[in-house]
Amino acid sequence: MANMIIVFSFVLLQILSPICSLPLAPALYVFGDSLFDSGNNNLLPTFAKANYLPYGSDFAQGSTGRFTNGRNVADFIAEYLGLPYSPPYTSFGGPRSVTGLNYASGSCGILPETGSILGKCLNLRDQINLLQRTAEKDLPKKLRNPTKLSEHLSKSIYIITIGSNDYINNYLDTKTYDTSKRYKPQPFAQLLIERLAQEFERLYKLGARKVIMFDLGPIGCMPSITRKHAHPGDCMEETNQIVSYFNERLPAMLKNLTFSLPGSIFVHGHANTLGYDAIKNPSKYGLTDGGNPCCTTWANGTSACIPLSKPCRDPNEHVFWDAFHLTEAVYSIIASRCVSDRSICTPMSIQELVKM
């Protein structure tokens, strides 16, 4: 049953993908953290890396730096759009692609100090700065006509997932950061939303018009959290409540940007709703395990995968790949629903977004 559901998600994306050879968008630009990172951290001085097996054990190119066993949400969306996977900006070849780039960086967040204890990473401002370099220096070398450049940027798709680390590697890490002493949960969430809105306005000024922002997943259900604290039920609901203050403020901010920035559409991706349901009701999605990491990890299942450990035999039946990240199977479900279901990507699905 599990494999049947996962195969269905893959097939759905293939059915929905463009029948002709022309892509549905000029490019896919990817921003965020380790949920979307495709290898940017490989060349950064950080402990937050995934360029070793068993990461990538089910990915055609092997362990590229993706923090999962196979493809992530950005990869599945690229497939639907008929585009190559967006390569990491910091790759050895440099930013050569005109079909999109990936700026996401594991352990980083919206705030510049987030994740700093693990080493250097690209926070959201850094990532937007790199897009600015792409738009002002790299792309004009290949799209020499200003009108074509503007059209390229306005018709491209921009996807973002960021903010989880502002909790995991900042607010909730009370031994390293004093953020929770300086901010109550609601004001902290508002701070993140305001900083995020500022960066989205920068995105718009650089030419972006079609933006998808996924909300934060149920952090209180991660093995890295649930295995460290005693709690009733499957999740640390107190932690989920803290994160919910961010998610509750996100829709209004995105609607306001769409209203105030002419020609823009900011889409809300409901990753939390889908992820929480998969954790609570795994069999509904053809999964069997909603709470344990699939790979072998350090520290009683609360960390990353142990390097070169054997991959688990049934990743398509697990929600979690390691103590923090999801399996390719769950990423496939999130991506396919965002492509076709406007209740998951609101107010319009990617199918509808590309037609604008």
Side-chain angles (χ1 to χ4, degrees):
M1 177 64 175
N3 288 335
M4 183 183 300
I5 296 291
I6 305 309
V7 167
F8 172 76
S9 294
F10 293 165
V11 170
L12 176 61
L13 279 172
Q14 292 173 349
I15 292 173
L16 294 173
S17 63
I19 297 176
C20 63
S21 58
L22 293 176
L24 295 176
L28 176 66
Y29 292 101
V30 182
F31 306 83
D33 50 34
S34 55
L35 299 179
F36 281 1
D37 190 346
S38 62
N40 281 304
N41 276 22
N42 294 355
L43 298 180
L44 297 176
T46 175
F47 289 108
K49 294 181 186 290
N51 56 343
Y52 59 85
L53 291 171
Y55 292 102
S57 54
D58 298 300
F59 191 68
Q61 285 79 39
S63 51
T64 59
R66 288 166 168 82
F67 289 75
T68 184
N69 59 305
R71 291 163 285 182
N72 59 31
V73 169
D75 297 322
F76 284 112
I77 291 176
E79 289 180 4
Y80 166 71
L81 295 174
L83 294 169
Y85 300 146
S86 303
Y89 185 92
T90 64
S91 61
F92 286 111
R96 299 176 178 175
S97 173
V98 293
T99 57
L101 287 163
N102 186 313
Y103 307 91
S105 181
S107 81
C108 248
I110 299 169
L111 302 179
E113 64 270 25
T114 291
S116 57
I117 191 173
L118 295 173
K120 170 65 178 175
C121 60
L122 303 172
N123 61 55
L124 184 57
R125 175 163 286 271
D126 293 332
Q127 295 178 34
I128 304 299
N129 287 345
L130 292 178
L131 175 68
Q132 182 173 356
R133 185 183 302 176
T134 299
E136 294 178 356
K137 294 184 178 180
D138 301 325
L139 287 175
K141 296 176 184 176
K142 299 167 183 177
L143 303 171
R144 299 181 183 277
N145 184 319
T147 302
K148 288 186 177 181
L149 175 60
S150 177
E151 184 176 327
H152 170 92
L153 293 168
S154 66
K155 292 187 177 299
S156 292
I157 305 295
Y158 302 77
I159 60 172
I160 302 103
T161 179
I162 201 160
S164 293
N165 288 319
D166 292 293
Y167 289 94
I168 299 168
N169 293 328
N170 191 332
Y171 193 81
L172 299 174
D173 183 2
T174 56
K175 293 181 179 179
T176 307
Y177 299 91
D178 67 350
T179 313
S180 61
K181 295 179 181 178
R182 293 186 288 115
Y183 295 95
K184 295 293 185 182
Q186 293 95 328
F188 181 68
Q190 187 61 33
L191 170 68
L192 295 180
I193 288 292
E194 289 172 1
R195 295 283 183 89
L196 183 62
Q198 291 171 6
E199 296 306 320
F200 281 172
E201 288 177 7
R202 291 183 64 209
L203 259 184
Y204 178 85
K205 290 177 182 177
L206 291 171
R209 295 294 181 269
K210 302 179 181 183
V211 180
I212 304 169
M213 170 67 189
F214 290 91
D215 59 21
L216 307 188
I219 291 173
C221 302
M222 290 179 174
S224 61
I225 300 289
T226 60
R227 289 176 171 234
K228 289 181 179 178
H229 308 279
H231 59 90
D234 300 320
C235 305
M236 282 280 293
E237 296 300 349
E238 300 94 323
T239 302
N240 284 338
Q241 180 61 48
I242 291 172
V243 174
S244 74
Y245 296 126
F246 176 92
N247 287 342
E248 289 167 1
R249 287 163 169 75
L250 183 64
M253 182 269 279
L254 296 176
K255 287 180 182 178
N256 182 59
L257 289 176
T258 299
F259 177 78
S260 60
L261 301 176
S264 72
I265 177 69
F266 286 82
V267 174
H268 176 195
H270 294 266
N272 185 286
T273 301
L274 205 50
Y276 189 77
D277 194 39
I279 291 164
K280 288 288 191 177
N281 306 290
S283 62
K284 181 178 175 181
Y285 300 90
L287 309 168
T288 59
D289 191 320
N292 299 298
C294 184
C295 73
T296 304
T297 76
W298 307 106
N300 186 36
T302 61
S303 71
C305 301
I306 296 175
L308 305 182
S309 58
K310 290 185 178 180
C312 55
R313 292 183 298 175
D314 55 353
N316 284 349
E317 296 185 4
H318 284 256
V319 171
F320 289 100
W321 170 245
D322 61 13
F324 301 92
H325 307 97
L326 307 176
T327 58
E328 178 186 68
V330 180
Y331 289 140
S332 169
I333 294 167
I334 294 171
S336 62
R337 291 287 298 276
C338 185
V339 163
S340 61
D341 186 348
R342 61 163 53 185
S343 72
I344 295 301
C345 278
T346 308
M348 63 178 64
S349 67
I350 296 177
Q351 260 187 321
E352 297 167 309
L353 185 64
V354 295
K355 296 175 182 177
M356 289 184 61

